[in-house]
Structure formats: C-alpha cells, structure tokens
Amino acid sequence: ARALTPQTAETDAIRFLVGTQSLRYDNQIHIIDFDDENNIINKNVLLHQVGEIWHISTSPADKGVLATCYNKTSDSKVMTCAAVWRMPKELESGSHESPDDSSSNTQTLEPLCHLDNTAHGNMACVMWEPMGDGKKVISLADNNILLWDLQESSDKAVLSSSAALEGKGQLKFTSGRWSPHHNCTQIATANDTTVRGWDTRSMRQIYCIENAHGQLVRDLDFNPNKQYYLASCGDDCKVKFWDTRNVTEPVKTLEEHSHWVWNVRYNHSHDQLILTGSSDSRVILSNMVSISSEPFGHMVDDDELSDQEDQHQEEKIKEPLQDSVIATYEEHEDSVYAVEWSSADPWLFASLSYDGRLVINRVPRALKYHILL
Amino acid sequence: MAEVEAAGSGAGGSPEAGTGTGTGGWRRPHGPLQRYYGPSAAEAAEATPDPADINGPHFDPEVFLTKVRSECPLGQLLAREAALGREIRALDSDMQTLLYENYNKFISATDTIRKMKVDFRRMEAEMDDLAANMAAISTSSARVSAALQDRHRRGAQLAGVQALLRKLQSLVEVPGRLRRWAAPGGEPARALRCHARARAVLRHYRHLPSFRAIEDESHAIMADLAQRLRARLRDETLDPKELTECVEMLLQLEEPPEELCQEFLSHAGTRLEAELAALEAELPVADSSAATTPPPASDILDFVDRGSSAFVANLCLLAASYRSLFEGRPGAGDGRLEAFAATLTARYFQLLERRLGLERGLGDTSLLVRALDRFHRRLRALLELLPAAGAEAGAALVARAARERVDRYLRALQTFFLGCLGDVRQALAAPRPPGKEGPGLPDLLATLASSILGQLKAVLAYVQLFTAKDVAFASLPYFKGEFCVEAVREGLVVAFVRWLCRTARGFADGPAERGAPAAPPALLLLLARLCLDYEATTISYILTLTDEQFPPEDTGPAVTPGPALCAEARGAAQRLLDHYVQVQGAAVAQMLRKSVETRDWLGTVEPRNVRAVMKRVVEDITAIDVQVGQLFEEGVRRAQSSDSSRRAFSVYSSSRAPGRYAPSYTPSAPMDTHLLSNIQKLFSERIDIFSPVEFNKVSVLTGIIKISLKTLLECVRLRTLGRFGLQQVQVDGHYLQLYLWRFAADERVVQGLLDEVAASAAHRCLDPVPMEHSVVELICERG
C-alpha cells in the first residue's frame, strides 16, 4: 500500500485514510480512527473497485469528499486515472462501530466525478486547494498540470486551465504540492531531478531548481508557516530545504536515511518538526529549529516573564535545542512509502509501508513540552 | 780460659766505640764494631736471642763455652781459640788508633780558642778611638751648615720668583697664541688645549686689571672660534669623524651640551635619512607595484648588505660617539638618542619589510636566509650599543619574513598537489590506444604519492635553512620553539596534510550534484587509497621527519597529535570511498531504473534471453571489480562453497516461490499475503543500502551491488507486470544471481535482495505464472 492521507477537513478526531494496492482483488480504502484517550484503533473499510490506489487526498472543506489516483488495467494496458469520491454519510465523522462487523458490511464509495485524462496521460497525483472551499483541484498527469473546477456539489469537473512541460525526452511529473501561501496561487512540482514552481493564475513557471537532488526527486512539502520555504526529498537519500527566492543552493541538507527518501512532511503547526519516510524502512522525525518559523535562540515573550530568574532558566533550556534527529522509528519491515501528520493532533503522525503496515506514533513527550513551554 | 778473657774485653770495649760513632761523618770500615752498634735495634727485634752468638747482644760466655765444648772436636776448638786470639788483638789496635786521632783534634781546638781571646781585646781599643773621632766630625759639620743656611733660603726665593715670572709671561702670550691657532686653517685643537690651561688661572686672578684684559681677549677669541665651529657643524659635508671632533671641541668650550646634542643628532639624522632615501630609491613606488611589479634591481642579499653597511654601520658609529661625547652630561642622558635611533631603525625596518614583500616567488631560500642572517647580525651589533632600538621589532621582522616564506611554501605545495591531480585526471581521461593499456592505477598512485612526498621533503629542506646552526637568528627563542612548532609543523606540514584531506573530501562532498564537473570515479578511488595510505604510514612518517628536523620544545605550544591527523585522513578516505560506491552504484542503478521504467512489462513476449542491460550491469560491475582490485585488498567474505550459487538459488525457487506465487490468500484478508515474507524478514538482518563501506574490494563491490539491486526492487514495485514480464524478471534475477554472488562479501545479501525482487514482481503481476526453473537456468547459461 502506498496511499495515505489525513482527513484534512476533520479537526477533532484523528483519522487517516489508507488506499490499498492489489492487482487481483478489489481494492479498498481503510478509514483508520485513532482514539487518543483509549489508545484504540478503529477501522472502517470502503470498497474502491476501479483499481489499485496510488495516491489519495481529501478535500479540505468537505469531510466526506476525497480524490484518488488509481490504476486501471485493461487488455495489456495500464492507465492511471483520477476521480473524486464521496464516502457514505455515516462514516464521515467516524462512527464507532465494533471492528468485527465492519468487515462484513463493507460499503462502497459514491463516485462524484471523473477527472478526464484521456488526452493527458497518467495521473500522478491530485492536490486540493489548501485553504479553499474544496472546489479547485490540480492534478498532475505525465507532463501536464491540470487545474479543475468542481461544479456545484462536486459532481462535475471542468478543466479550467492547464500547462504542459516541454522538453527533451519523456518528462513526467512525479509529485507536486500546493503552497498554502500567497493566497494559494503557487504550486511546486517535481520531475526527475528538477523542482519547479508554478503560478496557478497564469499557469507559468515561476522558478526552477535544476538538479535539486542528485537523482529523482520523490516528494515536496511547503513550510506551512514560513512562505518561500520548501522541503524536498529524493533518491540520493537526502532531504533538502530551499528558499524559493534563491534556488542556487539549498538552505539546509539532511542526510540521515540510507536509501531513497519517499516522503517529507512539515508538521502543520510546529514547522520545525520534519517527518521523512524512506525505503530503508525507517521513519525519521527531525527537529529543524534553525530554519523554522519558531524564534531561534531567544524568547519572544520576554516581557511576559516577570521574574528575571525564570527567564534565565528558560533561555538555558531553549539554548541547546539544535537541529537534530529526534527519533528514528524502525517498526516497519519494508519500505515506507508514505508519512503524514494528523490534521487534528499536531503531535501525532502515521506512516505506511509497502507490506501494508500502518504505524501511528507520537512526538516524544519531552520534546512536546519543550516546544510548548 | 783465654776465651773467657777475650769475651770479657770484647764486651768492655764498647763505651769507647760509642763515642767514635757519635761524632758522625767519621766512617771507616771496621765491620764487627759497626755491625755491633749500628743496626742494634734491628737485631734486637730478631725473634730468638741467641746466647751462643758471640757478636750478639745476648752473648752468654758460659752457654757459649759449654756449647762449643760439647759440640766441637778438639782440632776445631784449637782453631777457634787461635782465631779468637787474633780477633781480640785486632780489636785492641783499632781502639788505640781511635783514641789517638780524637786527642789530636781536641788539642788544636783549644789552641784556636786561646788565639781568638787575644785578638778581641785589641779590637776593643780601636773602636773607642773611632767613636771619639766621629763626634768631632759631627760638631764641625753642624757649624758649617749653620753658616750656609741664610744664603740657601735667598736662592730658593729667587727661583720661585723666576717661575712665577715665566708663568706670567706665558699668560701674557696666551692671546697671541690663541689668535694664531684659532685663526681659520689653524689648529683649533691646540688653541683649545692652551685655553683650557690658562683659563683657570685667569679666572683666579681676574680681579687684577691686567689679567682681566688678557682673559677678556682670550674669551673673545674663543667665542669667535666657537662661532666658527658651530658654523662648521652646520656644514652638510662633514663626515662623522669630523663631526665628532667638532662637537668635542665645542663641548670643551663649555657650550651648552643640550643644544649641541640636538644639533649633533639632527645633523647625523640628515645623513642617515639620506642613506635611507638611497635605499628607498631602489624600491619600486607603491603605486606601480600594485599594477605591475618590475623585478627588483638587485637581489635581497645585496640590498640588505648595502643597508647594513651604510645605514646600520653609521648608526653604530653615531651611537658610539654620542655615548663618548655626552656621557654623564646633564640634559643628554634623557633617552634622546634612544628615541632618535628608534625612529630611524623603525624606518629602516619598514624599508626592509617592503623589500621583503617584493620577494614574491619562491626564489632562492638560501639567499633570503643569508640576507636575513646578515641583517640580524648587524642589528645585534647595534643593539649592544642601543638596547632600546627595537630589538623586538627586528626579531619580529625576521620571524615574519620566515613565516611568510613558509606560508608561501605551503601554497606552492598546494599548487603542486593540484597540478599532480590534474596530471592524474588527464592520464585517466586520456583515450587509450586500442590494445595498449595506459598506466595502471597503482602506477598513478605511486607516482602521485612519491612526487608529493618528494616535494614536501624538498620544502622541509629549504625551510630547515632558517634553523641552520650557522645562522645567527636561529638561536632566537622564536626560531627554536615557536617557529619549529607553530610555523613549520603546524603551519606547513599539518596544514598541508589537512588541506590535502579537505581537498580530497571536496571531491566527494562538493560538486557531484550541482552540475559542476564531477570527478571521475577512478580519481575518487585513487584519492581514497591515497588518504588511506596517509593514514597508515605517510602521516606518521612526515611528522617524525619534521620532528627530527625541527625538534619541538617540551614546553612549546600544543601540537596537533599524529592520531588526530590520521583520523582526519581516514575520515576523508572513508568519505571518498563511500562516494565512489554511491557514484558507481548510482550509475548502475540509473541504468537499471531506466530499463525497468521504459519497458512495457504487460505486453512483453515470452523471455528468450537475458536482457542486454543485465549483461551490461554484470560487465560494468566486473570492470569496477578490476578497478578496485588494483588499489584495494580483497577483503573477507562469508564462508562459501563453490556451488553455493546453485544451491542457494534452488532453495529460493523451490521452497519459497510456491508459497509466494500460489493464490493462497482470500479477498477479505489481502494483507495475509505478506505474512510469510514478513516473518522471514523478522529473522533476516536489516540491510542498509547506502551504508559506509570498508577499505577492501569486497566491501566496495557489495555496496555497489546492494545499491543496484535495491533500485531494481523499488522500480519493479512501481510497475505492473504481465506473465511474461514476471518471467523476464525471473530470468534476469537468476542471471544476476549467477554472476554477482562472487563479488559480494555475503552472498546472502544478494540472495535476499533478489528474492525480494522476485517476490515484488510476483506481487505486481497480473497473472503470476513463474517459469520453470530448468528453463530459466537454460536461458541464463545460453546467455
């Protein structure tokens, strides 16, 4: 399994969606609920019969709406398509059914619309407009960027604009990310070793990081709190942080993994926390204080502290917080293809490996208090 | 009876014989007597007194007689009696002779004494006469002298008057003489002497009008003279000796020393300034030197020579004469000379420094050392006179120059190393004529290492000139301690090794990704080996060499220990080798990735052959094996048997494959499919793909193979395969298995990865029907 996403619109319950990959059997979408207080995992299964799921994303506005990229196999041809779905109402907000009967009465997704890609090639991923009302979707298909407008009640998708990447050879987007800054007008895409930025209004390229990685770039993420900052990871085992205003040199490079890094994610609220998943079967949580929006080296609320002594103590504790690896999680036995932070709890994250194992972890308590206090 | 008498007289004669020997000096050989009295002590000490010994002191006549009578026959008794009789007679006559001789002497002595008594009585009378006469003579002499006394006194008075008159005469003549000598072209020195003599007297008698006139006149003359001397002092053309004379005379004229001192120094100053200006004229103007520097007119040794012979020598002379002139005078000992000399030397140092700055190239170090040596010697001479004239500044100048030179050598070494590297790159990149092998990597490595070492040694030899025994400044504490340690050991040797490691590291860290021309992999390998060699032997060798040539002091500043450098070199080597593995692995991986991504795995036909790309991969890895084998040792493998590949592969395809490929899982629990492989993975080691490698061939190749196979695995997982696609992967995997196991340290690694490839391929296959194993083998053997 490769597809994992948090339920973006859900802000109360910790919920992840996982898509399965199976060529010979019906694929499913598992809705994983994690009850933080009781430490219980609850699972609901939705059938996804059209094909194996390569990518999944949820609407930021409507809890019940999600989009998948899936493989459709027909007479020795494989086509990757994308579609928007709605899940059954009762599952939207996480029903607490008992696990045993969830497997028996599997429900089916209700298809909303199909993103027609016959003219554009295989879909690599679908991105929702991060702050929007769930009406705008961008999908990457081979070398095209397609911007779709979902009509009322999302039952129809209209291609509003598109751009194509021209160049020598077969260019193929591997991944993309929609920036939450600048009124959501920028996206970043990765193809081969290059990272490109686009303006969604004009559909023009605005910056380009040639040779961002020594080999293929696998994933991107924008810093949610600091505009212009972008993280990328790739087959050279590195994670790089860029300032898109100056793309000649990375701001910072991490080299902790021993194989391809497939996924990189900023924590949504504490952007010094970086999560990476790699095919060396490890998930690494890093603390990049120096390039985060967090004040580095001094306190902001100096005047709030009445006692001088307290302040000194605070600073002493703050000081040694350096860029470092916080923890390495080795629970997976196979390559980790996806890591995601929960949208509800900023201290919780899930990782998914090829063999289908989903692991939910928390940020170490000590660090959590350290950041909060 | 006769014997008894003889014995008795023999004993009784002893007193007379005692007096004879007591007078001394009277020796005649009368044996028995002599023997009897002489060494009596020795004889007494003899162990057993023999009463039968007739000559012994314990002679007992009774014992003797009884003994003789009882022992001897009659004839012998008679003979002994006769002998004794003879002996007694001889002794008697001897005694008589002695008595006679001594008596004669007593007689003559008595006569002499009696004659002396008579003579003394006559002499007493004559002495009385003499005394009477002497008394008469003394009285008459007293009378004569009393008569002459008066006249004598008058004569003495007259003599005094005459001397006084002569003095007056000379005083009167003083102005004239002074005028003559003090006239221009005369002898001012004599005038001064004359004036000095007369001055005290004149001053004493100045209340007398006539003397006063003389004094005034001579004063006027001397003032005139002083005026002229001063004028001369201001004359530019005076040489230092004349200058000194001139000032000396003025001092004698009681001119104020302070003022003179000022003038003296200013005059000397202009001269020295002129010399400095002459030196400066040789240096190119600062502005022009910035743009284009003409080669200095003369070499540095020449420059220093001239500087020291002219400037330093004159300054020495000046200082010496100043000392002798103004020593102990008020207003001169207030450090004015020191300040004066300090400014001048500071300017000189400045000039010299500028000149040294012109020594750009590496030039001849021995020349520089000699120049600095000479400078230092001269300076030391000056410093003995003027301890305050910037001793530190001079030493610091020398030290700076030396340091500068060392730095320059370091740069030269670095350039040299880069040049060597360039050569190596060229040799590596040069197209090989077909059929002819270029120089192998080991040769290149040996050339590189030896040329660098040679250069380093040469540089050390040059630098050693600075601390040679015959160089004066080598004994400065700086050159003994700090220079050896800080400049040479740390600044040159350690810095160079560090730099070398850094440069080597740079090849691994820097350019590979950002589009700059990446170093060829062979160069990485070569540098890795070089660093490793440095770590193993070369660094310690170089450091030992340096410490021998420049022995560090115990109390000197802390030095970088050899192990730290070794660790650095090892780190660089490790980094380079890792990078080599990554570069080569990435090259192979790229090939595999493209081949997997571009192929249509669904519509492929039944495999008949191993794909060409797999053959290419095996070829490439074999080539890498050869390349690495040239420089690195074989390394250890896990135990293996000759037919291990077959055995292992059969296990893989017979016992594991069915469980994997059989449709044994149900739709409701798709995750169970991986249970088997998961359990298996729990027991197998985790494989780190891009992990550090060890310094041997097997480890390097294992690293490359791991990277390649893991790539293959990940790429296959991204594809959807048809039945024949799976079979093709099967064939390819078997082929790789056949050829790659021998390169890897642990064939289980290869095995495990290929198993996973096969499992993933099966999982990604729409119609998983594996190929018969025998067919797979057949195809592989044919290919």
Side-chain angles (χ1 to χ4, degrees), chain A residues 2 23-25 52 78 211 237-238 240 248 258-260 279-282 330 333-335 337, chain B residues 513-514 586 593 602 665 678 681-682 686 688-690 710-711 714 717-718 720 763-766:
Chain A
R2 287 170 189 272
L23 283 167
R24 294 180 287 277
Y25 308 101
E52 51 175 4
V78 175
N211 284 318
C237 315
K238 288 172 186 160
K240 294 187 179 181
T248 49
S258 70
H259 201 244
W260 304 352
S279 43
D280 63 1
S281 326
R282 291 191 181 99
E330 305 200 341
E333 296 296 340
D334 209 326
S335 306
Y337 290 132
Chain B
E513 296 172 4
R514 302 295 301 158
R593 189 162 71 87
L602 270 179
Y665 46 89
N678 279 349
K681 267 185 207 154
L682 280 179
R686 190 185 281 269
D688 277 344
I689 306 304
F690 288 98
K710 180 77 176 176
T711 307
E714 293 294 340
R717 282 182 179 181
L718 287 172
T720 308
H763 183 68
R764 296 297 310 155
C765 183
L766 290 170

Side-chain angles (χ1 to χ4, degrees), chain A residues 217-322:
Chain A
V217 180
R218 290 280 169 192
D219 195 23
L220 301 163
D221 198 16
F222 280 100
N223 187 323
N225 300 331
K226 214 175 171 184
Q227 50 183 0
Y228 305 117
Y229 273 71
L230 176 70
S232 68
C233 61
D235 285 3
D236 56 0
C237 315
K238 288 172 186 160
V239 179
K240 294 187 179 181
F241 299 91
W242 305 89
D243 185 335
T244 56
R245 293 163 295 187
N246 176 19
V247 295
T248 49
E249 281 294 322
V251 181
K252 197 105 187 170
T253 302
L254 275 184
E255 244 183 306
E256 301 293 346
H257 284 289
S258 70
H259 201 244
W260 304 352
V261 187
W262 285 76
N263 231 228
V264 59
R265 284 290 176 267
Y266 275 108
N267 187 302
H268 302 304
S269 37
H270 304 283
D271 55 278
Q272 64 266 51
L273 300 178
I274 311 286
L275 200 58
T276 51
S278 153
S279 43
D280 63 1
S281 326
R282 291 191 181 99
V283 174
I284 292 182
L285 178 63
S286 315
N287 191 3
M288 303 301 288
V289 187
S290 66
I291 52 169
S292 72
S293 62
E294 197 80 353
F296 184 55
H298 65 93
M299 297 279 294
V300 247
D301 47 356
D302 274 350
D303 29 334
E304 281 176 29
L305 284 163
S306 51
D307 199 347
Q308 201 70 8
E309 202 122 308
D310 267 2
Q311 185 182 338
H312 275 299
Q313 268 178 350
E314 283 294 326
E315 260 172 323
K316 247 182 246 166
I317 302 162
K318 277 277 179 196
E319 212 78 59
L321 202 63
Q322 297 293 327

Side-chain angles (χ1 to χ4, degrees), chain A residues 15-152:
Chain A
R15 189 172 305 148
F16 293 98
L17 302 184
V18 179
T20 63
Q21 265 188 329
S22 172
L23 283 167
R24 294 180 287 277
Y25 308 101
D26 278 344
N27 283 286
Q28 301 160 335
I29 288 177
H30 293 235
I31 303 171
I32 311 289
D33 273 293
F34 179 66
D35 186 345
D36 201 15
E37 278 158 27
N38 305 317
N39 232 356
I40 294 171
I41 288 180
N42 209 340
K43 183 175 85 170
N44 286 298
V45 179
L46 288 170
L47 276 182
H48 181 273
Q49 278 149 331
V50 284
E52 51 175 4
I53 302 162
W54 287 88
H55 188 264
I56 187 167
S57 53
T58 52
S59 159
D62 191 338
K63 287 184 209 172
V65 176
L66 62 134
T68 56
C69 294
Y70 55 91
N71 261 10
K72 209 157 82 180
T73 316
S74 55
D75 45 280
S76 76
K77 269 271 216 195
V78 175
M79 193 71 190
T80 313
C81 307
V84 181
W85 312 82
R86 173 175 291 282
M87 61 175 83
K89 268 273 182 265
E90 61 268 29
L91 291 179
E92 257 180 39
S93 51
S95 58
H96 291 281
E97 290 171 57
S98 51
D100 51 275
D101 54 32
S102 71
S103 56
S104 55
N105 59 344
T106 46
Q107 289 160 299
T108 317
L109 286 167
E110 176 199 343
L112 283 178
C113 61
H114 178 68
L115 304 179
D116 186 22
N117 62 327
T118 39
H120 306 294
N122 292 318
M123 290 292 199
C125 65
V126 174
M127 305 173 274
W128 296 82
E129 189 182 24
M131 304 297 174
D133 50 2
K135 295 294 170 214
K136 271 188 179 172
V137 164
I138 280 182
S139 67
L140 301 175
D142 275 356
N143 61 337
N144 295 302
I145 301 173
L146 310 172
L147 176 62
W148 306 84
D149 263 333
L150 298 184
Q151 299 294 312
E152 208 51 45

Side-chain angles (χ1 to χ4, degrees), chain B residues 463-730:
Chain B
V463 174
Q464 211 180 6
L465 288 175
F466 280 106
T467 58
K469 284 222 169 51
D470 55 340
V471 178
F473 57 75
S475 60
L476 285 176
Y478 170 78
F479 277 91
K480 272 192 172 153
E482 208 179 331
F483 180 73
C484 286
V485 175
E486 208 127 282
V488 178
R489 199 192 132 105
E490 297 294 312
L492 185 67
V493 178
V494 173
F496 176 66
V497 173
R498 283 229 162 104
W499 177 85
L500 191 142
C501 290
R502 260 203 321 279
T503 312
R505 238 172 190 297
F507 279 105
D509 290 338
E513 296 172 4
R514 302 295 301 158
L523 183 70
L524 294 176
L525 200 62
L526 197 74
L527 283 173
R529 183 73 227 185
L530 183 72
C531 285
L532 196 63
D533 286 348
Y534 263 74
E535 189 251 333
T537 51
T538 317
I539 284 180
S540 62
Y541 171 69
I542 293 176
L543 285 184
T544 321
L545 191 74
T546 315
D547 285 348
E548 265 170 27
Q549 292 187 355
F550 304 93
E553 283 181 336
D554 299 336
T555 56
V559 294
T560 314
L565 277 185
C566 286
E568 227 165 281
R570 189 172 183 90
Q574 182 75 56
R575 185 75 191 80
L576 281 166
L577 202 62
D578 287 353
H579 189 63
Y580 174 77
V581 168
Q582 282 181 21
V583 166
Q584 295 286 38
V588 175
Q590 190 75 2
M591 212 151 62
L592 283 169
R593 189 162 71 87
K594 286 274 181 275
S595 82
V596 173
E597 276 179 3
T598 50
R599 194 176 174 97
D600 177 12
W601 291 97
L602 270 179
T604 186
V605 292
E606 187 167 2
R608 303 246 169 257
N609 268 314
V610 179
R611 284 189 301 148
V613 66
M614 293 301 165
K615 292 184 180 167
R616 178 78 199 285
V617 165
V618 171
E619 272 170 30
D620 277 7
I621 291 184
T622 314
I624 293 169
D625 179 60
V626 171
Q627 197 176 48
V628 180
Q630 283 179 332
L631 290 178
F632 286 92
E633 298 77 19
E634 182 69 26
V636 281
R637 295 166 193 281
R638 298 268 174 90
Q640 53 182 298
S641 60
S642 58
D643 64 344
S644 59
S645 76
R646 267 158 212 286
R647 182 172 47 78
F649 196 76
S650 65
V651 167
Y652 139 74
S653 51
S654 63
S655 77
R656 288 184 58 190
R660 196 72 60 82
Y661 302 146
S664 62
Y665 46 89
T666 56
S668 61
M671 294 305 162
D672 291 352
T673 48
H674 302 290
L675 202 60
L676 188 69
S677 77
N678 279 349
I679 291 171
Q680 197 144 22
K681 267 185 207 154
L682 280 179
F683 292 105
S684 66
E685 291 167 52
R686 190 185 281 269
I687 302 167
D688 277 344
I689 306 304
F690 288 98
S691 55
V693 293
E694 285 161 31
F695 294 103
N696 58 52
K697 191 177 87 176
V698 168
S699 176
V700 168
L701 280 160
T702 309
I704 294 172
I705 290 170
K706 272 196 301 193
I707 293 172
S708 314
L709 293 184
K710 180 77 176 176
T711 307
L712 184 64
L713 170 69
E714 293 294 340
C715 290
V716 165
R717 282 182 179 181
L718 287 172
R719 305 291 301 181
T720 308
L721 292 83
R723 181 204 295 178
F724 298 129
L726 169 66
Q727 292 181 357
Q728 183 69 61
V729 171
Q730 214 183 336

Side-chain angles (χ1 to χ4, degrees), chain B residues 68-141:
Chain B
V68 170
R69 260 199 304 258
S70 61
E71 283 177 3
C72 296
L74 183 65
Q76 210 173 17
L77 273 179
L78 284 179
R80 171 156 284 207
E81 195 244 327
L84 279 176
R86 262 199 317 276
E87 234 174 80
I88 289 164
R89 269 196 303 279
L91 282 172
D92 277 345
S93 73
D94 270 357
M95 210 152 62
Q96 275 169 2
T97 324
L98 277 174
L99 264 176
Y100 178 72
E101 277 177 2
N102 282 337
Y103 184 71
N104 257 3
K105 289 214 171 103
F106 280 127
I107 298 294
S108 67
T110 318
D111 282 353
T112 313
I113 288 168
R114 194 178 300 130
K115 235 184 333 194
M116 272 168 69
K117 263 186 195 160
V118 178
D119 286 351
F120 273 126
R121 210 166 288 141
R122 209 170 50 219
M123 221 144 83
E124 233 166 65
E126 278 170 20
M127 285 309 285
D128 286 346
D129 278 355
L130 189 59
N133 286 348
M134 284 310 290
I137 287 170
S138 66
T139 39
S140 57
S141 153

Side-chain angles (χ1 to χ4, degrees), chain B residues 415-482:
Chain B
T415 333
F416 178 78
F417 177 70
L418 287 184
C420 279
L421 271 191
D423 289 351
V424 169
R425 278 180 99 133
Q426 233 162 26
L428 286 175
R432 306 266 159 78
K436 194 185 154 215
E437 269 297 296
L441 285 177
D443 296 343
L444 282 175
L445 176 70
T447 328
L448 181 65
S450 65
S451 58
I452 291 171
L453 198 59
Q455 189 75 6
L456 189 61
K457 274 188 190 160
V459 164
L460 278 182
Y462 281 134
V463 174
Q464 211 180 6
L465 288 175
F466 280 106
T467 58
K469 284 222 169 51
D470 55 340
V471 178
F473 57 75
S475 60
L476 285 176
Y478 170 78
F479 277 91
K480 272 192 172 153
E482 208 179 331

